[in-house]
Amino acid sequence: MLRLQLPTDPRWANIVEENLEDILSDHAWCEQKAATNAIMLIINNAEKEDLVSEMTAISIEEMQHFQMVHDIIKARGYEFLRERKDDYVNELAKFMKQSSDGSRACGLIERLLFAAMIEARSCERFKVLSENLKDEELAQFYRDLMESEAAHYTTFINLARKYAGNIDVEKRWKAWLNHEASIIAKYGEGITVHG
């Protein structure tokens, strides 16, 4: 369904298990940034009623996920660490800016595809964790979140198709998939959700 070209090595779950405090903190920040992205889409597209409704729901859900991860951090006696730079997302953001022709319509489609890409990879990473973590509580937690990320991915793709106008979303999505494969090839050994 996600059509990602390069799967995450399941051994990445071993890195996660050895660095749970770091990973959980990074995950919490990812949820906060996803909520912020949804809010920015509302701010910049207030006239699109269905988009506003969908992004409102996503922003609330992402902050609920933030709270859930933060609660796990506290329950396990970990420290909620400061935000770290997300090189993966920053590289995707550069591609988004380079891909836009500067028009408001194109900017919206690229922003929606940017969000869809992050949700797709997060969904795939959470699937890896749900299938490979020895910690049963966290494995189930990531299975539940995987389903949510898949739904968000679908929402962003569907909105891109709806508002595409004369933009070929399928062609753009293929370009995103190709570019993401070149980026993700450099990651998979770090102690971040996308690392």
Side-chain angles (χ1 to χ4, degrees), residues 12-30:
W12 174 69
N14 299 330
I15 296 169
V16 170
E17 286 197 305
E18 293 168 7
N19 299 279
L20 283 176
E21 184 174 54
D22 291 279
I23 293 287
L24 287 168
S25 290
D26 184 67
H27 179 187
W29 285 115
C30 287

Side-chain angles (χ1 to χ4, degrees), residues 41 96 100-112 167:
L41 278 161
M96 174 181 63
S100 179
D101 64 10
S103 71
R104 193 161 180 261
C106 185
L108 171 59
I109 300 311
E110 292 301 321
R111 171 64 66 173
L112 290 167
I167 298 168

Side-chain angles (χ1 to χ4, degrees), residues 52-172:
V52 170
S53 295
E54 294 280 11
M55 292 305 105
T56 299
I58 285 178
S59 64
I60 291 168
E61 189 174 358
E62 298 288 18
M63 285 310 296
Q64 288 170 338
H65 293 169
F66 172 87
Q67 183 175 17
M68 291 163 68
V69 179
H70 191 252
D71 287 347
I72 291 171
I73 291 168
K74 290 190 300 182
R76 292 180 176 225
Y78 298 148
E79 180 184 351
F80 179 39
L81 305 173
R82 293 187 65 82
E83 180 185 6
R84 292 184 185 168
K85 188 169 80 165
D86 190 330
D87 292 323
Y88 168 81
V89 171
N90 289 338
E91 287 191 56
L92 289 179
K94 285 180 195 169
F95 183 70
M96 174 181 63
K97 289 172 187 165
Q98 292 165 356
S99 299
S100 179
D101 64 10
S103 71
R104 193 161 180 261
C106 185
L108 171 59
I109 300 311
E110 292 301 321
R111 171 64 66 173
L112 290 167
L113 295 179
F114 165 77
M117 190 80 261
I118 294 170
E119 297 287 351
R121 181 56 70 181
S122 297
C123 177
E124 188 263 353
R125 286 279 164 109
F126 292 169
K127 184 175 189 291
V128 168
L129 295 180
S130 74
E131 294 173 348
N132 294 284
L133 288 178
K134 297 178 187 82
D135 184 317
E136 290 181 16
E137 178 192 9
L138 282 181
Q140 183 58 53
F141 176 67
Y142 280 110
R143 174 153 299 286
D144 294 342
L145 286 189
M146 174 191 76
E147 294 168 6
S148 176
E149 302 294 295
H152 294 172
Y153 155 79
T154 301
T155 297
F156 286 117
I157 288 285
N158 287 342
L159 285 169
R161 289 179 178 137
K162 177 171 185 174
Y163 290 110
N166 61 359
I167 298 168
D168 185 340
V169 170
E170 184 59 25
K171 182 179 177 184
R172 290 301 313 132

